[in-house]
Amino acid sequence: MIPFLDLKAINAQYRDELVAAATRVIDSGWYIQGQEVSAFEQEFADYCGTQHCIGVANGLEALTLTLRAWKEQGRLKDGDEVIVPANTYIASILAITENCLTPVLVEPDEASYNLCPKNTEAAITSRSRAMLPVHLYGQLADMPALMDIAERHKLLVLEDAAQAHGASLNDRKAGSWGHAAGFSFYPGKNLGALGDAGAITTNDDELATVLRALGNYGSHKKYENRYQGVNSRLDEMQAAMLRVKLPHQEKEIAARRQVAHAYINGIKNDALTLPLTLGTSSLAFHSHVWHLFVIRCQQREDLQQHLADHGVQTLIHYPIPPHHQQAYRNWQEQNFPETEALHKQVLSLPIGPTLAEEHTKQVVKACNAWKAS
């Protein structure tokens, strides 16, 4: 079976470096908020093109703490509306409701599946205070258009960049467009730790200061607590693992693009809808980092079984939209037809930096062999 993503093979490439980094942390005797974290924060900020990077426990906390920090600063208050794509992973929504803010779900762009500028502007009300564009599958949302909307309507912008490490538009990387951005380093991400980890990037000095305190029990100074904070810190071991892998990120992105290129050029099945990039130029293609390669099919379950029978593991990102989840059962009556169609039709093919060429060809062959009934 061709695995959807072979994490063991990915990390095996850097095994000696990872072991050396782990040994360095163990031997240091310093395991929380030490030199590895501070070094990674600077390196990742430089990579993204931002002034600050604040390490946190995971990607959800990156989003949740940023919205919380804006509330502490008086820039948001309970009940304020945050515009967010209806087809996102539920973490984007959880961060909003955890802060007693009001998610305003909008239908995605039909081509890229990202936050649609037209639908965003139509959703703005007198209570709108922020937007949360999600760079789904590894492609940036239309940030020039969204930032223009935000500036005209005085909205805060929090990028959900959990799937978009290294993605760019107009030579600006994910994490450097909005007022802040949240990243996840969950092991399956393009830049994955060996456990849970996350980070926030921003150019706002005051916001960075508040965030560092909030994630450290609300403490701006040892044993003095300015806020009712939480414990959400990137630990030394995961920072050390990420420092090993960050220098290899561009090489891994190039390998993912090679797989995506083979799929786009090789899959010739009219029953399958292949992903489109933002724009039609090769530059647009090469701004996508292909965290996921997601196709659409009206007979998804039959296709998925066919691929499994031909030795291809696939996953569904995501089977149930947030407004149909039990956690948000009061939204059950809301109607988002494009979002609901996506969640019924999307299927993610294997993609990763270690996927062998013969396996890529096998996936293409299996996709082309499937016949819709």
Side-chain angles (χ1 to χ4, degrees):
M1 178 72 75
I2 298 171
F4 176 76
L5 180 66
D6 191 341
L7 288 179
K8 186 175 179 179
I10 291 172
N11 290 323
Q13 302 174 102
Y14 317 120
R15 188 181 189 283
D16 290 346
E17 293 177 77
L18 292 168
V19 170
T23 302
R24 185 172 68 242
V25 173
I26 293 167
D27 291 346
S28 74
W30 194 296
Y31 308 120
I32 299 289
Q33 292 188 312
Q35 294 181 358
E36 298 292 342
V37 169
S38 59
F40 173 72
E41 288 177 336
Q42 185 60 61
E43 290 158 7
F44 193 67
D46 291 344
Y47 179 75
C48 294
T50 60
Q51 291 296 313
H52 302 282
C53 168
I54 301 94
V56 294
N58 53 64
L60 174 57
E61 289 282 273
L63 300 176
T64 303
L65 285 173
T66 303
L67 294 172
R68 167 77 187 281
W70 282 334
K71 291 184 74 177
E72 294 289 354
Q73 290 179 304
R75 304 175 76 180
L76 293 175
K77 65 180 184 304
D78 286 3
D80 283 347
E81 293 179 349
V82 181
I83 297 169
V84 63
N87 62 311
T88 186
Y89 181 58
I90 199 169
S92 311
I93 311 295
L94 291 171
I96 298 170
T97 56
E98 175 67 17
N99 279 289
C100 299
L101 301 168
T102 304
V104 175
L105 309 185
V106 300
E107 291 274 54
D109 176 82
E110 292 184 5
S112 69
Y113 313 145
N114 276 327
L115 187 61
C116 174
K118 180 180 177 181
N119 293 344
T120 295
E121 188 135 33
I124 293 173
T125 73
S126 60
R127 296 173 60 200
S128 300
R129 294 293 180 271
M131 70 169 75
L132 205 162
V134 181
H135 305 318
L136 201 62
Y137 307 150
Q139 178 176 211
L140 263 73
D142 188 351
M143 293 307 295
L146 292 171
M147 291 307 297
D148 176 67
I149 293 169
E151 289 170 14
R152 286 190 283 107
H153 294 277
K154 296 181 172 56
L155 303 180
L156 294 165
V157 178
L158 172 57
E159 300 172 66
D160 183 339
Q163 300 184 7
H165 317 73
S168 63
L169 267 178
N170 302 340
D171 296 322
R172 288 180 63 179
K173 280 191 169 69
S176 68
W177 283 89
H179 300 99
F183 286 87
S184 167
F185 303 119
Y186 183 78
K189 303 299 185 185
N190 285 22
L191 179 59
L194 271 65
D196 266 327
I200 302 157
T201 56
T202 184
N203 288 318
D204 185 327
D205 295 344
E206 182 185 351
L207 177 63
T209 299
V210 175
L211 284 166
R212 290 194 183 282
L214 280 176
N216 187 34
Y217 299 96
S219 176
H220 62 290
K221 183 179 179 182
K222 193 167 184 176
Y223 299 129
E224 294 183 19
N225 302 76
R226 184 170 292 165
Y227 312 105
Q228 296 177 27
V230 298
N231 178 5
S232 182
R233 303 177 296 204
L234 176 63
D235 71 66
E236 283 289 280
M237 189 64 75
Q238 296 306 334
M241 301 298 101
L242 290 166
R243 291 189 68 203
V244 168
K245 298 177 78 173
L246 180 58
H248 303 286
Q249 182 70 359
E250 292 302 309
K251 177 192 72 175
E252 293 205 354
I253 290 171
R256 287 175 175 273
R257 286 177 178 152
Q258 189 172 4
V259 174
H261 192 265
Y263 285 162
I264 288 171
N265 286 336
I267 297 174
K268 307 295 182 183
N269 189 327
D270 292 340
L272 308 183
T273 301
L274 301 182
L276 296 176
T277 54
L278 186 64
T280 57
S281 68
S282 60
L283 178 64
F285 177 88
H286 287 292
S287 70
H288 200 315
V289 295
W290 300 102
H291 171 60
L292 298 172
F293 190 95
V294 180
I295 62 174
R296 292 180 69 171
C297 178
Q298 292 189 2
Q299 296 174 249
R300 178 178 65 192
E301 285 69 25
D302 188 73
L303 172 63
Q304 187 172 37
Q305 185 60 57
H306 165 86
L307 292 174
D309 292 343
H310 286 74
V312 178
Q313 182 187 30
T314 58
L315 295 179
I316 298 172
H317 297 90
Y318 303 95
I320 305 173
H323 69 284
H324 283 172
Q325 295 284 358
Q326 185 68 14
Y328 294 109
R329 50 191 171 274
N330 55 314
W331 297 350
Q332 298 283 331
E333 299 305 315
Q334 294 193 37
N335 185 33
F336 299 99
E338 175 62 20
T339 290
E340 289 157 22
L342 277 170
H343 285 261
K344 290 176 182 176
Q345 297 173 11
V346 292
L347 187 67
S348 300
L349 300 181
I351 192 166
T354 62
L355 190 65
E357 184 178 358
E358 61 267 26
H359 288 165
T360 303
K361 291 178 179 178
Q362 185 177 333
V363 174
V364 170
K365 184 178 179 180
C367 286
N368 287 337
W370 180 74
K371 304 296 182 185
S373 59

